[in-house]
C-alpha cells in the first residue's frame, strides 16, 4: 500500500505489491526500484545494527525484552536483499498486467468471495461507504483473496525482512527502521502472535497487504474479538482497507470512473491527466461512455487519461480513482483494481482494445526519451525515467510540433525521432 518496496519508486501508504503476482508477472510498481542497498553486512555488523534497533524501539515505548527477543536471534535474509536490488529490464505492458489481474478465474473467485462474505461486506460498506467490489478487488490483487498467505514460498517473517532492510544500507534505511519499529509495536499490542506476522519481502502484511505503519493507523477490529487481525480475520482486513480508503478521500456512492469514447477531431491536449472538468462539461465536449452505464448527473470532477495513447482506451477518472492510487501509486495497479471491481459486479471488459503489438520502453530508454525532449527545449521535469504528467506534456508538445498525433504516448518510434537530436 502504498507502503512496500514491491513498489519501489514511491512510499505509498500501503503495500500494493500484489503477492499473487510476485512470483510471475511483475507488478508495474516493481519496475522502478530505489538504488540498490549496499552489500550485506557481516554478521557482527548486523548484530550490532539489531541491538541499536532494539534500543531505538525501547526509546519509543516498546518493551526492551520484546525487541531483543525478536531481533537478537536474527540473521540477514539474502532473498530479501536480492529482491530489494531487483529491477525489471522492461516494464510489463499495461494490458498484460490487466489481463492477469482480471482473468476469468480471478473474477469467478472474487464473485464467490462476495457471496461468502456478503454479510460482513454489507456491514463494512454501510459503515465506511466504500464499494464492496473495490474492497474485494484489492483483496484479490494483493493476495489472491488470501490464498498466498499460507504459502511459505511467497511469505516470510516480517520482522526478519524489515531488519534485513533496515540494516542493509541504501537510501531507505530510515523508512525501513520506522516500519520495523511499527511492526514491533503491533506485536506489543497483541494484534498478532509473533509467529503469525508474515508478509512480503518488503514487510507488507495480511490479506490486503498493509505496511506496519499503515496497520497501526488504519487497522480496525471489525469482528469484535479484541484484536486488529489483518492476517486471520477477513472482516478485519477488509474493514481496515475500507477505513484507509475513506481516510484518503473515498466518496460514497460514486464510481471510480468511466471508459469513454472520444468524438472525431477531439483536442487530445485536453487529456493532460491533471485538468479536471465536471462530467457534464466533458459530455458537452462530446465524450460519451464506452460501456452500458450513463454518466452520473452529479457535478463530479474528472480528468481525462489515455494510458496507451490515442490507439488505446480512454478514461475519465473520478476522485475515487485517486483514492485507489493512494493505496498504490502505479496507474496500472489502480486501473486493475478499478476494472476488476467492475468485472466482479458483472460489467463487461473494456470496449477499446490496447495496442498489444507495442513494446514498452525500458527505464534507460525512458531516460533517453526525456533527454531528447529536454535537448529540444521541452521541459520534462527531470531525467529520471519516470514518465509522469510533465513528461507526457512535453511529449504532446513535441508531437504537435512534428505533426504527429499529440497523445503523449511514449513508444520506440517516438524515441527514434528524438535520438538524432541528442
Amino acid at each position: 500500500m502504498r507502503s512496500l518496496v514491491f513498489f519501489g519508486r514511491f512510499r505509498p501508504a500501503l503495500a500494493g505489491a500484489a503477492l499473487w503476482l510476485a512470483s510471475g508477472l511483475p507488478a508495474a510498481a516493481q519496475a522502478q526500484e530505489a538504488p540498490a542497498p549496499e552489500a550485506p553486512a557481516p554478521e557482527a555488523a548486523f548484530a550490532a545494527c539489531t541491538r541499536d534497533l532494539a534500543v531505538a524501539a525501547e526509546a519509543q515505548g516498546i518493551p526492551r525484552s520484546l525487541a531483543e527477543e525478536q531481533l537478537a536471534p536474527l540473521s540477514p535474509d539474502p532473498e530479501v536483499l536480492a529482491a530489494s536490488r531487483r529491477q525489471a529490464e522492461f516494464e510489463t505492458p499495461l494490458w498484460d498486467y490487466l489481463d492477469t489481474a482480471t482473468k476469468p478465474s480471478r473474477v469467478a473467485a472474487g464473485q464467490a468471495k462476495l457471496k461468502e462474505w456478503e454479510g460482513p461486506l454489507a456491514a463494512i460498506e454501510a459503515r465506511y461507504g466504500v464499494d464492496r467490489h473495490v474492497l474485494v478487488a484489492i483483496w484479490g490483487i494483493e493476495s489472491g483473496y488470501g490464498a498466498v498467505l499460507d504459502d511459505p514460498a511467497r511469505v516470510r517473517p516480517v520482522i526478519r525482512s524489515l531488519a534485513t532492510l533496515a540494516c542493509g544500507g541504501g537510501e531507505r534505511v530510515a523508512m525501513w527502521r520506522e516500519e520495523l519499529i511499527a511492526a514491533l509495536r503491533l506485536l506489543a499490542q497483541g494484534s498478532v502472535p509473533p509467529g503469525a506476522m508474515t508478509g512480503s519481502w518488503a514487510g507488507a502484511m495480511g490479506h490486503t497487504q498493509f505496511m506496519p505503519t499503515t496497520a497501526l493507523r488504519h487497522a480496525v477490529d471489525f469482528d469484535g474479538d479484541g484484536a486488529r487481525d489483518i492476517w486471520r480475520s477477513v472482516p478485519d482486513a477488509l474493514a481496515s482497507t475500507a477505513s484507509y480508503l475513506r481516510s484518503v478521500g473515498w466518496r460514497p456512492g460514486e464510481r471510480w470512473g468511466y471508459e469513454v469514447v472520444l468524438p472525431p477531431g477531439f483536442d487530445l491536449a485536453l487529456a493532460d491527466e491533471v485538468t479536471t472538468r465536471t462530467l457534464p462539461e466533458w459530455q458537452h465536449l462530446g465524450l460519451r461512455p464506452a460501456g452500458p452505464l450513463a454518466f452520473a448527473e452529479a457535478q463530479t470532477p474528472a480528468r481525462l487519461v489515455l494510458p496507451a495513447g490515442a490507439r488505446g482506451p480512454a478514461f475519465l477518472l473520478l476522485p475515487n480513482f485517486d483514492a485507489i492510487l493512494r493505496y498504490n501509486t502505479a496507474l496500472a495497479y489502480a486501473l486493475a483494481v478499478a476494472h476488476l471491481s467492475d468485472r466482479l459486479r458483472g460489467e463487461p471488459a473494456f470496449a477499446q482494445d490496447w495496442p498489444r503489438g507495442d513494446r514498452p520502453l525500458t527505464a534507460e530508454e525512458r531516460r533517453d526519451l526525456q533527454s531528447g525532449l529536454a535537448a529540444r527545449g521541452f521541459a520534462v521535469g527531470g531525467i529520471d525515467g519516470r514518465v509522469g504528467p510533465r513528461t507526457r506534456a512535453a511529449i504532446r508538445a513535441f508531437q504537435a510540433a512534428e505533426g504527429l498525433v499529440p497523445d503523449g504516448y511514449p513508444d520506440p518510434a517516438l524515441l527514434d525521432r528524438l535520438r538524432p537530436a541528442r
Side-chain angles (χ1 to χ4, degrees):
M1 287 192 155
R2 320 35 185 117
S3 326
L4 62 170
V5 171
F6 266 104
F7 22 61
R9 57 186 164 183
F10 51 86
R11 184 186 177 185
L14 305 171
L19 273 175
W20 65 270
L21 287 174
S23 65
L25 181 66
Q30 288 177 276
Q32 294 180 353
E33 184 53 73
E38 298 171 2
E43 291 295 326
F46 183 81
C49 177
T50 55
R51 286 194 296 271
D52 290 343
L53 291 170
V55 172
E58 183 182 28
Q60 296 193 36
I62 295 169
R64 181 66 174 268
S65 59
L66 182 148
E68 290 182 343
E69 178 185 35
Q70 291 298 310
L71 295 171
L74 298 180
S75 60
D77 186 334
E79 294 184 8
V80 167
L81 287 171
S84 71
R85 297 191 185 100
R86 191 176 303 126
Q87 181 171 352
E89 181 181 359
F90 293 93
E91 289 274 8
T92 298
L94 173 59
W95 39 92
D96 286 349
Y97 182 84
L98 292 173
D99 286 349
T100 300
T102 61
K103 60 186 178 182
S105 61
R106 195 152 304 279
V107 173
Q111 290 172 335
K113 292 297 182 183
L114 283 163
K115 292 180 180 178
E116 179 182 356
W117 296 98
E118 181 177 5
L121 283 167
I124 293 168
E125 198 172 52
R127 180 178 298 183
Y128 297 102
V130 178
D131 180 2
R132 70 186 70 185
H133 301 89
V134 170
L135 296 176
V136 173
I138 290 173
W139 185 19
I141 288 176
E142 292 295 351
S143 69
Y145 310 111
V148 304
L149 299 185
D150 296 322
D151 184 348
R154 302 199 196 185
V155 297
R156 51 204 341 106
V158 165
I159 299 297
R160 187 186 184 200
S161 294
L162 291 175
T164 297
L165 293 164
C167 295
E171 295 183 353
R172 297 186 174 215
V173 164
M175 185 191 88
W176 296 125
R177 292 191 174 202
E178 181 184 4
E179 294 295 346
L180 174 62
I181 290 174
L184 292 170
R185 192 177 303 281
L186 288 169
L187 291 177
Q189 292 176 350
S191 296
V192 60
M197 183 178 273
T198 58
S200 73
W201 65 263
M205 310 177 303
H207 285 273
T208 55
Q209 292 291 275
F210 272 31
M211 289 301 284
T213 52
T214 304
L216 280 175
R217 298 184 190 106
H218 297 285
V220 299
D221 173 20
F222 197 79
D223 60 16
D225 67 353
R228 301 183 299 164
D229 189 346
I230 59 175
W231 294 266
R232 298 168 299 179
S233 170
V234 170
D236 283 5
L238 296 180
S240 298
T241 304
S243 171
Y244 175 81
L245 289 173
R246 188 63 188 271
S247 76
V248 296
W250 183 271
R251 295 164 58 145
E254 296 185 3
R255 287 180 55 82
W256 62 267
Y258 301 87
E259 183 190 0
V260 294
V261 176
L262 308 181
F266 182 77
D267 181 4
L268 293 178
L270 300 177
D272 65 2
E273 309 171 45
V274 177
T275 304
T276 62
R277 294 172 175 80
T278 66
L279 288 174
E281 287 172 336
W282 284 116
Q283 194 165 17
H284 181 72
L285 290 171
L287 275 67
R288 60 181 178 82
L293 297 180
F295 287 149
E297 295 182 2
Q299 298 292 311
T300 305
R303 52 196 176 91
L304 181 60
V305 175
L306 308 177
R311 293 180 294 117
F315 302 95
L316 282 180
L317 302 180
L318 306 180
N320 283 346
F321 190 88
D322 294 331
I324 299 172
L325 277 172
R326 292 288 297 275
Y327 207 91
N328 183 318
T329 61
L331 177 67
Y333 175 88
L335 197 57
V337 168
H339 191 36
L340 179 56
S341 73
D342 284 350
R343 301 306 303 277
L344 292 177
R345 79 176 90 247
E347 294 180 20
F350 293 139
Q352 174 66 40
D353 200 5
W354 302 92
R356 293 178 179 273
D358 289 4
R359 175 184 68 78
L361 299 179
T362 66
E364 181 179 357
E365 286 175 327
R366 292 194 297 273
R367 288 189 290 270
D368 286 347
L369 179 78
Q370 291 171 323
S371 297
L373 289 166
R376 294 198 178 199
F378 298 98
V380 297
I383 313 299
D384 57 7
R386 304 172 187 176
V387 180
R390 293 187 66 179
T391 296
R392 279 188 282 270
I395 292 172
R396 284 193 296 273
F398 170 72
Q399 289 170 325
E402 293 286 304
L404 305 172
V405 176
D407 60 4
Y409 181 51
D411 61 9
L414 184 70
L415 178 60
D416 288 342
R417 277 182 172 264
L418 284 163
R419 274 178 165 156
R422 296 185 62 220

